[in-house]
Amino acid sequence: MKTFQYFADGNWRDPASGQWFESDDPATGKPWARIPRCDARDVEIAVAAAQRCFTQGPWSRMNAADRGRMLRRMGDVVTRHAERLGDVETTDNGKRRRDIVPALQGWLTDSFHYYAGLADKIEGAVIPVDAPGLFNYTRHEPFGVCGCITAWNSPLVIAIWKMAPALAAGNTLVIKPSEHASASTLALMEVLQEADLPPGLLNVVTGFGDEAGCALVEHPDVRLLSFTGGVAGGRQVAELAARQVKPLILELGGKSPQIVLRDADLDLAVPGIAGGIFPPAGQSCIAGSRALVHRSLHDRFVEALCSHLADALPGDPRDPATQVAPIANRPHFERVLRDIEGARAEGARCVLGGKAVHPEGLGGWFIPPTVFTGVTPDMDITRKEIFGPVMAVLPFDDEEEALRLANDTPYGLAAGIWTADAVRAMRMAEKLEAGTVYINNYFNATPQSPVGGYKQSGYGRENGIEGMKAFMQTKSVWLGMAP
Ligand code: NDP
């Protein structure tokens, strides 16, 4: 078993508690790593280091172009070590290696490079105010120490999506990954040291949400929080943050609809919709878990989907042939199975999957693609974020009903539309209550385009110029010009 330390002030440290907890390999179901159980004392060390770095260290004197050069180096390091980082993430949370390694070499490296390019393009404005003899201008300034709390399904993606814009904006960071998948974020810290980072710039405290997580949220020197996780956790963090009127970016869950219009090309829609949920076993915030299908296509769609998925079984995430990832941790595996049983109990019909499977030689947590029909809008399977490989298929009769069903959810993260009529799709996109709408594609994300939620899927944006502005505050400066 590998024993990790946490990372603060440029050093690896044992937790003040003297305690570690185990992290399991989802493919085998066996523990493979010991993760430090940090508490408020470790958070104090990390936040103090981040605060020193922000106010006194070389970072506080570094100009924007130099910040950009540092981010470029960080991207290059991530490309160089993509295989090693991918191995850790695959072992720790079961993400398919064939997904995470190219992502690190491609669009996650690009994230660093994109924000490297933006770092020296932060411009204020001269505001033409209605006040004679006064000159007014704005500055966009970093917050200082930012606390970043990440979810277990994609720790590297989420950490990089926060880290790159936050650093471009000039902040320093303390990251708290999920107790269920902390190892890859620690491995990222290890390799990033090659990019010559000042001590205290990036710190990672591991541990439990209600211990290390709460301590980070409540620390008075943490000036902004960026949280990715479920609605329940997000709400708790928002309540704690509100006590100190602390600004917050919330990236929460979803129950995203995939709308298949009457003129959709099923040869495109079926693999697109299957690919939008099943490869990570539904463990993606934007997983398209509700297929809303025009009644005339419903039976053909279900048949084509089941036949497309017939061989798509979960397996070893290290094997490049594996089509569906394992479930990342045991409590979640048990929760997904309970939700499947719940869907049966409420009268939905399981037409594919629906039971755990046990690939030979692996003792871990595997659930195959599972599809339910006979679903109604009020059932739990239609309303609850299962965060597993479970899809509900519902028929609709016209555009208006499709939109009503699509928006009939407290979530608003993403939506898909499949149709030959792009103008109609754009008209519908305006009416969908979702932060991202995909037309005839799904699951795409690049550093340039903002992502985030409507309704209970959160607020604030990641990626794009907005993603960097979220980590900055605006100051208005007034100069009296009278002699
Ligand atoms: P949780 O909300 O359970 O946890 C998220 C993070 O918050 C973890 O690091 C957790 O620590 C921590 N945490 C939980 N409670 C608190 C608290 N009171 N104070 C401080 N920190 C706390 O989410 P999951 O990890 O289970 O992730 C799955 C969820 O994340 C899904 O709903 C998914 O949709 C969402 N998600 C959203 C994304 C987006 O961009 N919108 C992207 C990816 C996932 P610990 O685990 O140690 O308790």
Side-chain angles (χ1 to χ4, degrees), residues 63-73 112 115-117 119-120:
N63 66 32
D66 283 337
R67 286 206 304 273
R69 273 187 274 275
M70 190 199 73
L71 281 159
R72 186 153 276 284
R73 290 197 299 277
F112 283 112
Y115 286 108
D120 61 359

Side-chain angles (χ1 to χ4, degrees), residues 142-148 166 171-172 174 216-217 219-227 241 246-249 468-473:
F143 279 87
V145 181
C146 297
C148 298
N171 300 282
T172 60
V174 178
L216 185 61
V217 172
H219 199 296
D221 289 338
V222 172
R223 296 293 164 81
L224 171 92
L225 293 160
S226 177
F227 176 94
K246 201 174 277 194
L248 188 61
I249 302 161
M468 186 171 73
K469 286 198 174 149
F471 282 99
M472 292 187 292
Q473 48 196 342

Side-chain angles (χ1 to χ4, degrees), residues 21 149-154 158 161-162 176-182 207-217 227-234 236-237 240 250-254 283-286 329 332 335 385 387 411 413 451-453 457-458 462:
F21 57 92
I149 298 180
T150 62
W152 48 257
N153 63 317
S154 286
I158 299 169
W161 279 12
K162 295 185 189 309
K176 207 303 270 170
S178 166
E179 70 198 62
H180 298 294
S182 302
F208 303 133
D210 56 6
E211 208 167 32
C214 281
L216 185 61
V217 172
F227 176 94
T228 297
V231 171
Q236 278 172 20
V237 166
L240 282 180
L250 285 181
E251 297 288 343
L252 307 179
Q283 299 163 114
S284 157
C285 52
I286 61 165
N329 56 73
H332 189 54
R335 206 160 38 231
E385 184 191 41
F387 215 54
Y411 294 107
L413 200 53
V451 297
S457 290
E462 291 190 323

Side-chain angles (χ1 to χ4, degrees), residues 77-138:
V77 166
V78 165
T79 293
R80 201 153 60 235
H81 293 290
E83 305 258 345
R84 176 166 154 208
L85 293 171
D87 283 341
V88 177
E89 182 131 313
T90 299
T91 307
D92 204 34
N93 84 338
K95 191 168 269 294
R96 293 188 310 169
R97 199 175 184 283
R98 69 185 248 198
D99 294 329
I100 186 63
V101 172
L104 288 162
Q105 289 161 338
W107 50 276
L108 290 173
T109 290
D110 292 347
S111 264
F112 283 112
H113 291 173
Y114 172 78
Y115 286 108
L118 273 187
D120 61 359
K121 293 167 193 69
I122 301 167
E123 294 174 350
V126 173
I127 313 286
V129 286
D130 292 337
L134 288 172
F135 180 80
N136 178 257
Y137 64 94
T138 54

